Amino acid sequence: MIGVIFGSAILCLFLWTMVLRMRIKALNKVAGYWFGLVTACCMLGAFLVVKTSAALLPRGITEVVSCRTAKIAFATTLFLNPQINLRQELDWSKLPDKCMLLLNHTSWFDSVVFTAVVPLSFISHFRTLLKASLMNLPLGGAIFKNAGHYPVYFIKDWGVDKEKQAPVTKRMNQFIKESDRAVISFYPEGVVNKEPATLQTFRRGSFATPIEHDLPIYAFLAVGNDVTWPAGGFPGQPADIDLKLFEVTPAMSKLSEDLRTPQALSEHCRDVMQKELDSMLAARSGNKKTI
């Protein structure tokens, strides 16, 4: 009897995902509710695993478990929502053992997609700089904390509380120096961009880190996340999402001296990423142009 019920449930799930794959416009709102349900269940499962790990295991192992659990949860969310199609141009083998990784920020969905596509064997070597208040989110906050991500304590006018930030920066520098593999990722725009086709001015503070540690800089661009989860809109909408991973600059010691300041480096990185973003957008519209 149990086997019959389980088999029927699997069949129904399979048929439902086939329906989602068809992208029937009349079902878009239903797809959104389904996306929310799946995401909540996956996050709850990840939360329980992470909290159990934190209670029973050493800190280092908990960080690995937390990173990998989040990756599995978000990958499962995408697997069960085939109306969201990822078109990937990602060769993670080219990513150096140590680097900075810049991401464009167009939607709350950005982190879901990014975490889902990083290889399971590599995800525990990533640490992300994120707004400190996100550490207090239900479910997600506990995952961020136990994964070892780094809070940024913003104050008025997007300044940073230097006293609170100092021990965080020290911990991050230690992670970079002592780890065999260390990737520091962050959103240099700082906030969700309401005009995704044009990158906002990059906040330059975090660009001191690659200069200090002589790190190369890579970028992960996502185009289409704002269609799936628009700002203030219904999440889980059908979309094709294009993803690309590429080098922005080599190690700092290989750059000209005039680029080795946080301001100059941030402006240079934005220019390089904007050109690549323009190319991706042109390709999506069917009018690919040469840059």
Side-chain angles (χ1 to χ4, degrees):
M1 184 63 180
I2 295 178
V4 173
I5 295 174
F6 180 76
S8 298
I10 294 297
L11 177 60
C12 289
L13 182 60
F14 172 77
L15 293 174
W16 173 237
T17 56
M18 291 300 100
V19 171
L20 288 173
R21 196 180 298 275
M22 294 168 65
R23 296 184 173 181
I24 300 170
K25 191 172 183 179
L27 294 177
N28 280 359
K29 195 166 186 178
V30 178
Y33 284 121
W34 169 255
F35 173 86
L37 175 64
V38 171
T39 302
C41 290
C42 289
M43 287 294 290
L44 178 59
F47 171 81
L48 294 174
V49 170
V50 168
K51 292 296 284 185
T52 301
S53 174
L56 300 176
L57 300 174
R59 176 68 186 179
I61 297 177
T62 294
E63 289 184 357
V64 173
V65 170
S66 299
C67 289
R68 293 185 176 182
T69 299
K71 185 267 185 312
I72 292 170
F74 289 146
T76 301
T77 297
L78 290 176
F79 177 75
L80 293 176
N81 284 274
Q83 75 277 18
I84 303 168
N85 177 46
L86 304 185
R87 302 188 293 206
Q88 305 182 40
E89 194 175 336
L90 308 172
D91 186 353
W92 294 102
S93 66
K94 293 184 179 180
L95 198 69
D97 289 340
K98 295 186 179 184
C99 68
M100 294 287 287
L101 184 63
L102 312 181
L103 297 83
N104 63 321
H105 204 4
T106 66
S107 167
W108 283 99
F109 198 51
D110 295 332
S111 297
V112 175
V113 170
F114 175 66
T115 305
V117 300
V118 175
L120 187 64
S121 61
F122 200 9
I123 190 71
S124 59
H125 302 288
F126 281 74
R127 295 293 183 274
T128 300
L129 289 162
L130 45 81
K131 191 176 179 181
S133 60
L134 297 178
M135 296 288 190
N136 299 320
L137 287 174
L139 305 182
I143 298 173
F144 299 150
K145 289 177 184 177
N146 286 288
H149 297 313
Y150 303 119
V152 179
Y153 294 96
F154 290 116
I155 54 177
K156 187 178 179 180
D157 297 326
W158 287 99
V160 174
D161 187 323
K162 294 183 179 179
E163 185 177 349
K164 288 184 177 180
Q165 202 62 42
V168 176
T169 301
K170 182 178 179 181
R171 196 166 79 246
M172 180 177 68
N173 288 336
Q174 185 177 10
F175 172 71
I176 295 171
K177 290 177 181 178
E178 297 180 359
S179 302
D180 294 329
R181 304 179 81 179
V183 178
I184 305 297
S185 61
F186 67 101
Y187 298 100
E189 295 170 280
V191 295
V192 173
N193 187 351
K194 295 180 180 179
E195 298 181 1
T198 304
L199 296 172
Q200 298 180 96
T201 301
F202 285 3
R203 294 177 54 78
R204 63 178 182 267
S206 296
F207 286 89
T209 299
I211 296 172
E212 178 180 349
H213 295 280
D214 192 25
L215 300 175
I217 298 176
Y218 277 67
F220 178 94
L221 285 177
V223 179
N225 284 343
D226 58 306
V227 179
T228 286
W229 194 336
F234 214 63
Q237 300 306 295
D240 293 313
I241 298 174
D242 295 303
L243 308 173
K244 189 166 187 178
L245 179 71
F246 58 95
E247 182 184 68
V248 178
T249 74
M252 296 298 101
S253 57
K254 297 180 181 179
L255 285 180
S256 59
E257 190 170 345
D258 61 314
L259 288 178
R260 280 182 263 160
T261 67
Q263 180 171 346
L265 183 59
S266 66
E267 293 172 355
H268 174 71
C269 289
R270 185 199 172 278
D271 290 343
V272 173
M273 290 175 64
Q274 183 64 58
K275 289 180 180 179
E276 196 62 53
L277 179 59
D278 290 342
S279 179
M280 293 173 70
L281 290 169
R284 282 172 71 89
S285 67
N287 299 310
K288 191 172 183 179
K289 60 186 178 181
T290 304
I291 295 179

